[in-house]
């Protein structure tokens, strides 16, 4: 039934009163509207975190699908298992071995991207009010999951070497003082989204020790681990403790997000729950996507492809860092990622990156304001995330120049009027694929 009293373009939601409490935080923000504008061709978007899939051997991928459907169509088009294809799970163990992880295929659960693994972990561990420790800032899609299970996120500071062990101890002690034990520590140790930093090797064992002694399960979310520019892959946290750490991996950044294949490597009991939760949610994964990926890993030089991605992203990182140092106003600082997709920029005091975004979009450049990466949206006003993964190097340079000009103007306005406008408030979470 339609509501005849309302003009066509106004949506009246008759179900507002009936949604579950967990749906309360699921609101589209004004920022989403801006990102819709930001996808116009004249705007350089440094906002999106989309892998540069045009660099893939798309013809070869097409051939794989052709062969598969021709030779094993009846299997490929059928339901599969909720744990995932056994052959692919073996191959996933070989991928993880590059980071020192000695996992068994029985303990791997294939997921619909690592995003589904995050959701399944939330589903099996989090009751409303449970505490999740997460880096400050944190991946926006993980924050969305924790919010949907009504968890309380306690942010733990990082520095250029990633999560700070002392700050983690403090956060656990503060949580204990309020009568609670955190259930999870969520961390992205390599080439962090959004901060662009990597957890130092010297901190890794300590972080896991602290979590273990406090009875906190570590969620190691590692989609970028193989995308380091200058070094061999870092040793995973999971490599030295298979009981305390659940490892999440993904082929989205090393191959293609369109296949939607990620995984979790978990202790046995957790694995069983993950499989049951996945079954309840999706019955089974896309078999055709898993088999295509399995073929690709078996018959193509996938390590060379990862190397090609690394080189491509390194060139783009260099374009971004080089231009930042020549155009940014004094008092701006930024991280220097050694892999992955992101730079975290800190702007001068008195400038609010969310309030500034419409002016930046007007100047034909977009970024993600820092507030999106904090659970309550209250922090992050002096930060923004810049991605260098998608635009070509020249576009990156142009985008950073435009951003530099906008920031120069903001500084001038601040110096003249003492403020650049009303500080933006509230929670504004962009789509997680940004
Ligand atoms: N974790 C992090 C840190 C990410 O950056 C992303 C994608 N942006 C994901 C998880 C989810 O990726 P996917 O579901 O495509 O594997």
């Amino acid at each position: 039934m339609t509501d005849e009293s309302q003009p066509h373009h106004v949506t009246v939601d008759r179900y507002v009163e009936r949604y579950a409490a967990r749906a309360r935080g699921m609101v589209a923000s004004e920022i989403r509207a801006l990102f819709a504008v930001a996808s116009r061709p004249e705007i350089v978007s440094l906002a999106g975190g989309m892998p540069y899939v045009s660099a893939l051997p798309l013809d070869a991928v097409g051939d794989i699908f052709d062969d598969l459907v021709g030779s094993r169509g009846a299997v490929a088009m059928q339901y599969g298992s909720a744990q995932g294809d056994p052959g692919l799970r073996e191959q996933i163990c070989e991928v993880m071995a590059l980071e020192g992880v000695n996992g068994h295929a029985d303990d791997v659960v294939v997921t619909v991207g690592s995003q589904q693994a995050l959701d399944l972990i939330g589903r099996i561990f989090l009751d409303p009010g449970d505490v999740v420790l997460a880096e400050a800032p944190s991946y926006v899609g993980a924050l969305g999951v924790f919010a949907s299970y009504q968890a309380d996120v306690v942010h733990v500071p990082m520095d250029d070497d990633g999560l700070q062990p002392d700050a983690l101890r403090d956060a656990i002690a503060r949580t204990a003082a309020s009568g609670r034990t955190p259930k999870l520590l969520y961390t992205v140790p390599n080439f962090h989204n959004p901060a662009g930093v990597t957890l130092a090797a010297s901190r890794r064992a300590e972080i896991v020790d602290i979590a273990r002694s406090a009875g906190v399960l570590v969620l190691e979310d590692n989609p970028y681990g193989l995308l380091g520019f200058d070094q061999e892959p870092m040793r995973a946290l999971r490599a030295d403790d298979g009981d305390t750490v659940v490892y999440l991996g993904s082929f989205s950044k090393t191959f293609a997000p369109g296949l939607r294949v990620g995984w979790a490597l978990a202790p046995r009991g957790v694995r069983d729950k993950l499989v049951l939760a996945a079954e309840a949610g999706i019955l089974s994964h896309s078999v055709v996507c898993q088999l295509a990926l399995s073929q690709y890993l078996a018959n193509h030089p996938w390590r060379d492809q990862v190397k090609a991605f690394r080189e491509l992203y390194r060139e783009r990182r260099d374009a971004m860092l080089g231009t930042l140092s020549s155009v940014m106003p004094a008092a701006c600082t930024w991280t220097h990622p050694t892999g992955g997709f992101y730079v975290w920029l800190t702007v001068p005091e008195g400038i609010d990156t969310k309030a500034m975004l419409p002016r930046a979009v007007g100047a034909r450049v977009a970024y993600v304001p820092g507030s999106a990466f904090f659970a309550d949206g209250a922090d992050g006003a002096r930060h923004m995330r810049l991605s260098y993964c998608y635009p070509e190097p020249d576009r990156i340079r142009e985008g950073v120049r435009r951003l530099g000009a906008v920031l120069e103007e903001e500084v001038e306005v601040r110096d003249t009027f003492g403020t650049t406008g009303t500080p933006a408030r509230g929670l504004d979470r962009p789509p997680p694929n940004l």
Side-chain angles (χ1 to χ4, degrees):
M1 209 173 75
T2 55
D3 186 345
E4 301 299 336
S5 64
Q6 292 293 337
H8 240 34
H9 60 277
V10 177
T11 318
V12 178
D13 188 346
R14 300 170 182 286
Y15 297 97
V16 161
E17 300 301 322
R18 301 202 209 163
Y19 292 125
R22 78 182 78 89
R24 219 166 278 149
M26 298 178 189
V27 283
S29 66
E30 73 204 57
I31 267 193
R32 286 190 184 228
L34 268 174
F35 286 130
V37 178
S39 61
R40 289 190 193 149
E42 69 274 19
I43 293 176
V44 177
S45 179
L46 306 174
M50 267 119 48
Y52 192 70
V53 290
S54 309
L56 284 171
L58 291 176
D59 288 349
V61 177
D63 290 346
I64 292 176
F65 275 93
D66 257 11
D67 288 353
L68 196 58
V69 175
S71 63
R72 300 182 62 199
V75 174
M77 294 298 145
Q78 193 49 276
Y79 284 119
S81 89
Q83 189 173 356
D85 178 71
L88 177 61
R89 286 190 274 118
E90 297 276 357
Q91 291 166 304
I92 285 172
C93 290
E94 287 164 29
V95 174
M96 288 188 291
L98 299 174
E99 296 171 324
V101 175
N102 181 15
H104 195 284
D106 285 352
D107 301 324
V108 172
V109 182
V110 176
T111 54
V112 183
S114 48
Q115 189 66 32
Q116 191 208 8
L118 286 168
D119 184 62
L120 294 176
I121 290 286
R123 192 184 290 215
I124 68 177
F125 279 104
L126 298 177
D127 288 317
D130 279 347
V131 172
V132 175
L133 303 169
E135 286 139 343
S138 266
Y139 165 53
V140 66
L143 294 178
V145 166
F146 302 144
S148 73
Y149 291 104
Q150 299 167 276
D152 289 343
V153 171
V154 172
H155 284 292
V156 185
M158 291 192 285
D159 57 24
D160 284 344
D161 285 331
L163 195 61
Q164 298 174 348
D166 285 342
L168 178 60
R169 280 192 199 90
D170 276 1
I172 292 173
R174 269 185 286 118
T175 310
S178 72
R180 297 188 292 177
T181 304
K183 283 236 172 113
L184 302 171
L185 166 63
Y186 172 70
T187 176
V188 179
N190 298 312
F191 320 125
H192 192 272
N193 177 5
V197 297
T198 291
L199 183 64
S202 57
R203 286 186 182 175
R204 294 190 173 218
E206 191 179 359
I207 295 285
V208 177
D209 267 1
I210 297 169
R212 189 191 307 110
S213 341
V216 178
L217 184 71
V218 178
L219 201 49
E220 176 178 27
D221 185 11
N222 189 26
Y224 304 98
L226 299 185
L227 292 181
F229 303 144
D230 320 301
Q231 79 267 27
E232 290 300 302
M234 301 280 283
R235 193 170 169 78
L237 303 180
R238 166 62 180 73
D240 298 309
D241 189 332
D243 273 338
T244 307
V245 183
V246 173
Y247 176 103
L248 307 187
S250 173
F251 289 103
S252 290
K253 275 76 186 188
T254 49
F255 184 41
L259 288 181
R260 307 305 301 126
V261 181
W263 71 90
L265 173 69
R268 279 289 150 97
V270 177
R271 178 212 60 185
D272 290 346
K273 294 276 191 212
L274 287 174
V275 173
L276 291 170
E279 209 169 76
I282 59 165
L283 294 187
S284 91
H285 299 280
S286 156
V287 178
V288 69
C289 286
Q290 289 180 83
L291 294 184
L293 177 59
S294 182
Q295 288 290 315
Y296 173 79
L297 294 172
N299 301 329
H300 283 263
W302 68 270
R303 287 182 180 79
D304 292 348
Q305 180 57 44
V306 175
K307 186 162 176 267
F309 275 133
R310 281 201 301 264
E311 279 162 14
L312 184 131
Y313 295 134
R314 185 204 279 118
E315 188 192 354
R316 290 171 187 207
R317 187 260 333 241
D318 290 346
M320 180 168 279
L321 293 184
T323 318
L324 281 169
S325 34
S326 51
V327 304
M328 281 294 137
C332 283
T333 57
W334 52 90
T335 54
H336 293 74
T338 54
F341 290 2
Y342 310 107
V343 168
W344 185 243
L345 179 80
T346 304
V347 301
E349 198 151 349
I351 293 173
D352 181 314
T353 56
K354 194 161 107 183
M356 186 182 108
L357 184 60
R359 295 189 279 281
V361 170
R364 294 171 299 132
V365 60
Y367 57 83
V368 184
S371 57
F373 305 98
F374 290 85
D376 61 5
D379 287 319
R382 279 188 58 198
H383 304 278
M384 66 174 75
R385 189 191 73 179
L386 301 176
S387 311
Y388 49 80
C389 46
Y390 198 76
E392 308 272 345
D394 275 346
R395 294 280 288 169
I396 293 175
R397 288 186 196 97
E398 179 55 31
V400 174
R401 279 195 288 271
R402 290 175 189 172
L403 186 63
V406 174
L407 274 164
E408 288 286 5
E409 243 171 64
E410 296 284 304
V411 171
E412 254 179 63
V413 170
R414 180 202 64 182
D415 292 347
T416 315
F417 300 105
T419 169
T420 59
T422 320
R425 292 208 184 287
L427 184 59
D428 258 316
R429 206 170 276 140
N433 62 350
L434 275 170

